[in-house]
Amino acid sequence: MSNSSSMAQFLLLALADRRELQLLHFWLFLGISLAALLANGLILSAVACDHHLHTPMGFFLLNLSLTDLGCICTTVPKAMHNSLWDTTTISYMGCAAQLFFFLFFISSEYFLLTIMCYDCYVAICKPLHYGTLLGSRACAHMAAAAWATGFLTALLHTANTFSLPLCQGNALGQFFCEIPHILKLSCSHSGYLREIGLIGVSACLVFGCFIFIVFSYVQIFRAVLRIPSQQGRHKAFSTCLPHLTVVSLFVSTVMLSHLKPPSISSPSLDLALTVLYSVVPPALNPFIYSLRNQELKDALRKRMTGCFSGAIKCLFSGV
């Protein structure tokens, strides 16, 4: 294939060669996706329906659940389809759409996590100004900025990547469409450098957010250590522990996947690390938050009890 206009499809990396392992991966991904859909769906309904969770953190958690659902629904269904039907193909437009939506959701998630860090900082370090700094309008503006920045990032990278002429075949060394693997197929030096420049700008933005998170947690830990009572320190630390865990999981898996030394790179390792950062965090995030947030646990318990009681009433009313 000489260029991208004549390329009808890409070949994705198969999760396994043996049919038994392909079916195993299908059931594994099905279980992960169902767990993520159920957990994030419960959080969305709990935050929307329980007035105790109509707080800035609850609002940002609702947005975070939406990005988690987006990440899972962008990559996992195609991987499940390919594993079940023993195929590796994805259409050109399907690949472009998958890349755009994955970048959109994962970029928005990172910016939302940065904003949630600011929420923790204000709650611990400036509690008297919490209502002023994090009013409903301010929260809406910050969430909108996170989504808009994620959208712009995804749009620029996707448009530039798929404007490149591709002449190195159509086999991608990954189970979903990623920029580095598409760039390897490019035969345009100037277009390649343009995308590298865009990645550099995005990396500076990501690094700036990371520095902000680190600086905020330094201030949070200093404020927590100044609290005289042990119970007060424990309560303050428990407030930001779920967010710290989610951020650490997100950043560490992304860094392992993209910043590992080339000397240890292999298709199987690359595949495992990509699954680790693209699938595992969105599935675990709702469980991490629900374990340490008592109000969220109470709301989820109430929602689940209501669903079960409603199902039992429907069952017995039909008898």
Side-chain angles (χ1 to χ4, degrees):
M1 296 183 182
S2 59
N3 55 53
S4 57
S5 62
S6 62
M7 186 175 292
Q9 62 185 15
F10 291 97
L11 299 178
L12 299 174
L13 183 66
L15 292 172
D17 297 327
R18 294 170 53 190
R19 186 58 182 157
E20 296 83 0
L21 292 178
Q22 288 178 344
L23 293 176
L24 177 63
H25 283 110
F26 168 79
W27 289 111
L28 180 63
F29 274 166
L30 179 62
I32 292 174
S33 59
L34 288 178
L37 289 171
L38 177 62
N40 283 291
L42 283 173
I43 285 182
L44 287 173
S45 61
V47 173
C49 299
D50 195 314
H51 71 277
H52 293 102
L53 295 175
H54 292 175
T55 61
M57 181 54 74
F59 174 72
F60 293 132
L61 186 56
L62 182 145
N63 283 268
L64 187 68
S65 291
L66 288 175
T67 61
D68 287 336
L69 286 174
C71 287
I72 287 288
C73 293
T74 300
T75 58
V76 173
K78 184 60 179 175
M80 290 170 56
H81 172 272
N82 286 355
S83 294
L84 183 62
W85 298 107
D86 193 18
T87 181
T88 59
T89 60
I90 185 172
S91 67
Y92 182 86
M93 291 305 297
C95 187
Q98 189 181 65
L99 176 64
F100 171 79
F101 282 110
F102 181 73
L103 286 175
F104 171 50
F105 286 119
I106 202 166
S107 299
S108 300
E109 177 162 342
Y110 184 67
F111 298 135
L112 283 169
L113 288 173
T114 305
I115 294 170
M116 293 170 79
C117 178
Y118 175 70
D119 176 84
C120 291
Y121 167 78
V122 175
I124 301 297
C125 300
K126 299 180 181 294
L128 298 180
H129 302 282
Y130 188 82
T132 304
L133 296 175
L134 286 164
S136 57
R137 180 172 295 183
C139 291
H141 288 168
M142 287 188 284
W147 286 102
T149 307
F151 178 83
L152 183 61
T153 301
L155 183 63
L156 289 174
H157 283 290
T158 305
N160 186 69
T161 299
F162 281 88
S163 68
L164 301 177
L166 308 177
C167 57
Q168 304 293 329
N170 67 339
L172 300 176
Q174 195 50 267
F175 80 98
F176 71 95
C177 295
E178 268 194 318
I179 289 176
H181 296 279
I182 299 174
L183 290 181
K184 291 178 182 179
L185 308 180
S186 172
C187 51
S188 171
H189 185 66
S190 60
Y192 181 88
L193 291 179
R194 187 169 62 247
E195 178 58 27
I196 294 298
L198 278 175
I199 292 175
V201 172
S202 298
C204 291
L205 179 60
V206 168
F207 185 70
C209 292
F210 179 74
I211 293 298
F212 176 82
I213 291 171
V214 172
F215 175 79
S216 297
Y217 269 106
V218 169
Q219 300 302 314
I220 288 171
F221 289 146
R222 289 177 61 186
V224 170
L225 292 175
R226 286 197 297 266
I227 298 176
S229 67
Q230 184 176 355
Q231 184 179 0
R233 288 195 298 270
H234 181 267
K235 183 178 179 180
F237 187 69
S238 296
T239 301
C240 56
L241 183 59
H243 176 266
L244 181 60
T245 306
V246 168
V247 168
S248 300
L249 179 65
F250 183 91
V251 172
S252 61
T253 52
V254 171
M255 290 180 65
L256 276 174
S257 179
H258 290 94
L259 299 180
K260 63 183 182 304
S263 59
I264 66 171
S265 181
S266 67
S268 58
L269 179 62
D270 292 347
L271 179 62
L273 291 177
T274 303
V275 170
L276 195 63
Y277 94 84
S278 63
V279 177
V280 174
L284 288 183
N285 286 351
F287 297 101
I288 294 172
Y289 268 100
S290 60
L291 283 175
R292 300 293 300 184
N293 190 316
Q294 189 59 46
E295 287 187 346
L296 181 58
K297 281 197 291 188
D298 293 340
L300 290 174
R301 191 179 297 113
K302 189 185 302 182
R303 296 296 297 171
M304 293 177 68
T305 303
C307 290
F308 285 136
S309 61
I312 291 173
K313 286 180 180 178
C314 290
L315 179 64
F316 282 101
S317 62
V319 177

